[in-house]
Amino acid sequence: MSEVLVLVEHVEGQIKKVTLELLTLARRLGTPSAVWAGPGYSAEAKARLAEYGAEKIYVADSADIADYVVAPKAELLAQLVSSASPAAVLVAATAEAKEIAGRLAIKIDSGVLTDAVGIGEGLVADQSIFGGGVNVQSRVTKGTPIFAVRPNATPVEAAAGAGAEEQVTVAVSDAAKVAKVVDRVKEEKGARPELTEAAIVVSGGRGVGSAENFSIIEKLADSLGAAVGASRAATDAGWYPHQFQVGQTGKTVSPQLYIAAGISGAIQHRAGMQTAKTIVAINKDPEAPIFELADYGVVGDLNQVVPQLTDEIAKRK
Ligand code: FAD
């Protein structure tokens, strides 16, 4: 079976869950080979990648790769596509990896399908397009197909792979050196799971009413071990930080459960959350468009419904 390259997403050596999802998906398409780019590779990283089916691990851990933003990673993948002739390349549908995928497609003269939520027979992708308004089946018809797959779209399954390591050196070209990382600011993490990786997300919108009142959204999220999200109306009002905005111009989430409180369900918000497995809407307006999308809806004032829900969950723990 042909190799399927999986670009590993990692932060300070910690492998993100989406990589395990990509390895699980890659096993259905061929033989997964993980591609580690940048510093931080360790014995634990190797063990984790092998645990989820990586037969081979290409390691390019020079600092250069991380220092010049995305271009060297695209060069690394292009080099591997040329030497290994894989059946496909999988990356996560994150802002950075989508940029890498686009650059790679140019370099290897092929096509890239973004926001894939599944890949089936004949490397046909289920793709969520036009801001999430339409789902289509698409196939790359030229060269080695590249897929940017949404986090949380594939349930993770472990299956041991050989994890055979191969060191790779990539000569970072002058063209790739035009943009250099000058500083890194650590995002405040807190105790909650990361928004794009969380299995449950509780989001608040304009209906929350104020920054202070977001505490009821946070309490519900904490009772469920969930991440907190927000609509653009809430982030623009300064009630919640922009990094938690869900939607077309914010983050894309695909959790098992998405609870939208005081959010009307504008198309730009839907674009970031409509592939969630189960959607619960809490809104005082029975005509709110979010109810068209929701699996469960509560018509009521969130100031009453959300604390009641939090209490009820606490009782059942
Ligand atoms: P509203 O639309 O004002 O809805 C508030 C809802 O709260 C209403 O349905 C109301 O009935 C309900 N409500 C009020 N009080 C209560 C209460 N006490 N209890 C229960 N329910 C209550 N938006 C995003 O979210 N993410 C994006 O990434 C994004 N990108 C955009 C990009 C572009 C180019 C543009 C033009 C817009 C974008 N928007 C985005 C904005 C989007 O169009 C909407 O304006 C926004 O999503 C509305 O946020 P909201 O649902 O919180 O507010």
Side-chain angles (χ1 to χ4, degrees):
M1 277 216 285
S2 301
E3 277 185 62
V4 175
L5 300 183
V6 169
L7 180 64
V8 177
E9 289 266 331
H10 60 95
V11 177
E12 292 173 353
Q14 295 298 310
I15 296 167
K16 289 187 149 191
K17 183 170 142 263
V18 67
T19 300
L20 312 182
E21 296 167 9
L22 296 183
L23 287 171
T24 305
L25 187 56
R27 292 205 308 268
R28 295 183 207 143
L29 310 173
T31 307
S33 293
V35 180
W36 186 283
Y41 186 69
S42 64
E44 290 88 65
K46 176 185 165 140
R48 193 132 176 88
L49 295 171
E51 190 188 340
Y52 285 87
E55 289 295 334
K56 211 182 252 183
I57 306 170
Y58 294 106
V59 183
D61 55 357
S62 85
D64 263 8
I65 295 214
D67 281 352
Y68 292 102
V69 204
V70 294
K73 291 181 187 163
E75 290 189 350
L76 166 67
L77 287 172
Q79 189 176 308
L80 289 172
V81 167
S82 145
S83 61
S85 305
V89 179
L90 307 188
V91 304
T94 58
E96 181 184 297
K98 282 200 253 188
E99 190 179 336
I100 293 167
R103 285 168 181 261
L104 175 64
I106 298 286
K107 283 180 191 300
I108 63 172
D109 195 19
S110 83
V112 53
L113 296 172
T114 58
D115 292 313
V117 288
I119 305 169
E121 194 90 350
L123 296 173
V124 173
D126 289 319
Q127 206 188 358
S128 174
I129 62 161
F130 295 149
V134 179
N135 284 328
V136 291
Q137 269 85 47
S138 321
R139 195 161 59 84
V140 172
T141 55
K142 188 183 178 194
T144 307
I146 306 160
F147 300 96
V149 184
R150 280 205 176 168
N152 285 325
T154 317
V156 169
E157 283 164 34
E165 220 171 275
E166 193 174 314
Q167 290 290 329
V168 187
T169 41
V170 55
V172 180
S173 71
D174 287 344
K177 288 185 177 170
V178 291
K180 191 173 190 322
V181 175
V182 288
D183 195 12
R184 287 191 171 82
V185 181
K186 244 188 175 174
E187 222 173 64
E188 266 183 53
K189 239 185 130 223
R192 297 192 187 99
E194 204 212 311
L195 185 53
T196 55
E197 301 235 310
I200 306 176
V201 175
V202 182
S203 284
R206 203 194 307 271
V208 174
S210 68
E212 297 70 46
N213 211 29
F214 251 83
S215 64
I216 64 169
I217 302 294
E218 290 183 327
K219 280 183 192 144
L220 176 56
D222 291 343
S223 75
L224 292 163
V228 174
S231 73
R232 181 154 160 188
T235 57
D236 278 357
W239 298 345
Y240 219 68
H242 277 285
Q243 78 222 46
F244 298 103
Q245 183 184 310
V246 172
Q248 191 181 318
T249 42
K251 301 242 164 95
T252 301
V253 300
S254 242
Q256 296 298 313
L257 173 63
Y258 187 87
I259 303 178
I263 293 176
S264 61
I267 181 78
Q268 296 89 352
H269 187 79
R270 291 177 182 214
M273 47 64 78
Q274 64 186 354
T275 51
K277 301 281 178 303
T278 302
I279 296 169
V280 176
I282 303 165
N283 198 302
K284 67 179 184 186
D285 174 9
E287 303 297 324
I290 190 84
F291 287 127
E292 292 163 16
L293 191 68
D295 299 287
Y296 301 95
V298 183
V299 178
D301 185 340
L302 68 86
N303 294 301
Q304 286 161 14
V305 178
V306 171
Q308 276 176 29
L309 195 53
T310 309
D311 289 348
E312 195 55 42
I313 289 160
K315 273 189 220 154
R316 293 179 188 207
K317 272 186 177 170

